[in-house]
Amino acid sequence: MPQIIYSPSKYIQGNGEIARLGSYCLQMGDKGAYAIVDPFILSRYGQEIKDGFLAEQLPLMLREFQGECSLVQVEQMVAELNRGQVGTIVGIGGGKTLDTAKAVSHFANLPVLLVPTVASTDAPCSALAVLYSDSGEFDRYLPLRRSPDLVVADVAIIAGAPVRLLAAGMGDALSTYYEARACSRSGAVTSTGGTGTLAALALARTCLDTLLADGQQALKDASEGRVTAAVHHIVEANIYLSGIGFESGGLAAAHAIHNGLTLLEECRHVLHGEKVAFATLVQLILEGAEEPEIAGVVEFCRMAGLPVTLAAMGLAGVEQGRLLLAAEASCNLENSPMGNMPFAVTPQQVLKAMLDADRRGAGGRA
C-alpha cells in the first residue's frame, strides 16, 4: 500500500486578500468565475469582491449560499453553470459553503478557489466534501478528484468573525493528531487512498502543539479585535495544518462519533468543531489514553469554551437509548472512520466511553 499526501496547489494567508480574488482567478484562466458566497459575507464584502473582478475585467456570477451542503443543492448549482463562460468555481464563506463549492467543482470538472471567512473547520484544504441531507443529517463523504487549486485565507476577516467560531475550529483541529496517531498505529488507509505519511503525522503534531502554545492568546486577541501573530498561527493550524493532517493522516473515532451525534436533534445547535472536541475526549477514553493526556484535553477545552460534558452538548438527561443510537451510527455508517481505530470498536464501548467522558468532563474520573 503506497503512502500518499494531499495538499492544495497553493495556500495564501494574509490580510486584505478578499480584494485580490479577481487577480488570483485570472491566474487560473481567463474565463469568468461562479462564486458561491455566504449571505453575510455577500452583504458585507460583496462590492469589494465585485470590484476585484471588475479590475481584472473578469466576468463574475455571484450565487448566495442557502440551506445545506446537500446533493440537491449541488446539482442545482451545476445545472446553472454556463460552461462557455465559467472557468473557475469560487467558494467564499464557512465550511458548508466551501464544501458546496468543492462538490460543484467536482461534478462540473472545473478548478476551485476557496476563501474561508471563518476558521471553524479544517474543510478548506481537503479533497473531500461532506454532504448532508437538506434537513441537516450527515449523508456521506464525497471524495474529490483533487485537492483545491487555491486556498486564500484573509485573516482580517476571519479574526472579525465571532470568537466562538475560531474556538470551534480549534476543537476540530484538536482531534487531528489523535486521529492521525490512531491511523498510524492501525496502518489505516486514509481518504487519499494510501496510508499516512511521516509528513502528515508531523503536521498533525505541529497542529496540536500550535493550539496548546497559541490558542489562549489567539482567542483573547481575536475577542479584542486584534490580528496578531497568535491569531495568524491559529488560523494556519485550524485551516492548513489540520486540513493536511486529517486528510493525509486519517480520521478515526472522534469524527465517527461526531457523525453519529448529528442524528440527535438535541445537539443540532452545537457546531461541528464543538462536537468533535467532545468526541476527541471520548476517543481518548476509548483508547485508554494516559491520564495526563486526557487531563490536557479537558483543560484545553475548558479554556476554549468547548464542551466536555453531555450537558454542554445539549444532551443533559438524554435517555441512554438515544446515545446508543448515535453510538451505533458511529460504528455502522457506511465507510465510518471508526474502522480506522487500531482495535475493533462496538457501539456499547462507544456509549460507555461517552458516559465516562461526561463524568471526566464534569470533574470526576473516567
Side-chain angles (χ1 to χ4, degrees), residues 164 258 265-276 278 307 310-315:
R164 181 189 175 190
H258 161 274
E265 284 283 348
E266 297 90 338
C267 61
R268 286 276 170 81
H269 66 286
V270 180
L271 298 176
H272 171 86
E274 293 170 339
K275 286 197 280 282
V276 171
F278 178 74
L310 291 171
M313 296 273 290
L315 297 171

Side-chain angles (χ1 to χ4, degrees), residues 245-268:
F246 100 76
E247 183 169 45
S248 296
L251 297 176
H255 272 78
I257 293 163
H258 161 274
N259 294 343
L261 288 169
T262 66
L263 299 181
L264 304 183
E265 284 283 348
E266 297 90 338
C267 61
R268 286 276 170 81

Side-chain angles (χ1 to χ4, degrees), residues 1-346:
M1 179 64 65
Q3 294 177 297
I4 302 174
I5 189 167
Y6 279 8
S7 176
S9 298
K10 186 181 290 186
Y11 176 82
I12 297 171
Q13 180 174 307
N15 297 330
E17 300 300 326
I18 196 81
R20 304 184 183 102
L21 299 184
S23 173
Y24 294 140
C25 272
L26 189 62
Q27 295 171 25
M28 299 168 68
D30 58 2
K31 286 187 178 180
Y34 179 92
I36 304 161
V37 189
D38 172 86
F40 172 77
I41 296 299
L42 187 58
S43 66
R44 181 80 178 270
Y45 298 99
Q47 193 59 52
E48 201 168 344
I49 294 168
K50 292 175 186 176
D51 289 346
F53 279 83
L54 187 62
E56 303 297 337
Q57 298 184 332
L58 199 62
L60 171 67
M61 178 180 177
L62 290 173
R63 171 67 142 83
E64 183 175 308
F65 175 72
Q66 298 287 348
E68 281 290 341
C69 177
S70 69
L71 189 59
V72 171
Q73 297 283 341
V74 169
E75 288 176 339
Q76 287 177 354
M77 293 180 186
V78 172
E80 288 176 0
L81 295 177
N82 184 328
R83 303 305 178 92
Q85 296 181 9
V86 174
T88 304
I89 305 299
V90 179
I92 309 174
K96 290 187 177 183
T97 303
L98 303 187
D99 273 5
T100 300
K102 286 193 285 186
V104 171
S105 160
H106 174 77
F107 289 116
N109 198 24
L110 290 170
V112 65
L113 185 161
L114 300 179
V115 187
T117 56
V118 294
S120 58
T121 76
D122 50 20
C125 290
S126 74
L128 191 72
V130 183
L131 298 179
Y132 294 83
S133 69
D134 283 326
S135 61
E137 293 180 359
F138 173 79
D139 178 12
R140 75 192 82 166
Y141 291 115
L142 175 67
L144 309 175
R145 280 184 291 273
R146 62 179 183 270
S147 300
D149 298 273
L150 178 57
V151 176
V152 179
D154 191 324
V155 181
I157 292 176
I158 292 170
V163 176
R164 181 189 175 190
L165 298 177
L166 189 65
M170 290 162 60
D172 196 22
L174 180 65
S175 74
T176 305
Y177 173 67
Y178 299 116
E179 292 187 282
R181 182 179 68 182
C183 290
S184 178
R185 289 171 174 172
S186 68
V189 175
T190 73
S191 61
T192 66
T195 58
T197 66
L198 290 175
L201 189 60
L203 289 175
R205 181 70 228 193
T206 301
C207 178
L208 178 61
D209 292 343
T210 303
L211 295 177
L212 298 178
D214 294 317
Q216 186 170 10
Q217 188 64 50
L219 290 175
K220 181 177 184 296
D221 293 342
S223 70
E224 296 172 355
R226 295 187 293 127
V227 183
T228 62
V231 174
H232 272 270
H233 292 168
I234 291 302
V235 168
E236 183 178 348
N238 286 8
I239 295 175
Y240 185 78
L241 296 175
S242 183
I244 308 305
F246 100 76
E247 183 169 45
S248 296
L251 297 176
H255 272 78
I257 293 163
H258 161 274
N259 294 343
L261 288 169
T262 66
L263 299 181
L264 304 183
E265 284 283 348
E266 297 90 338
C267 61
R268 286 276 170 81
H269 66 286
V270 180
L271 298 176
H272 171 86
E274 293 170 339
K275 286 197 280 282
V276 171
F278 178 74
T280 300
L281 178 59
V282 177
Q283 176 178 320
L284 290 178
I285 290 173
L286 195 61
E287 291 175 315
E290 296 291 330
E291 171 57 25
E293 194 166 58
I294 293 173
V297 165
V298 172
E299 181 182 357
F300 177 83
C301 288
R302 285 175 178 159
M303 176 280 296
L306 296 166
V308 289
T309 64
L310 291 171
M313 296 273 290
L315 297 171
V318 70
E319 294 179 359
Q320 285 196 19
R322 297 279 291 155
L323 293 178
L324 183 58
L325 178 69
E328 288 172 342
S330 74
C331 296
N332 296 335
L333 287 170
E334 186 179 356
N335 299 321
S336 171
M338 190 67 81
N340 291 340
M341 292 295 286
F343 51 86
V345 179
T346 68

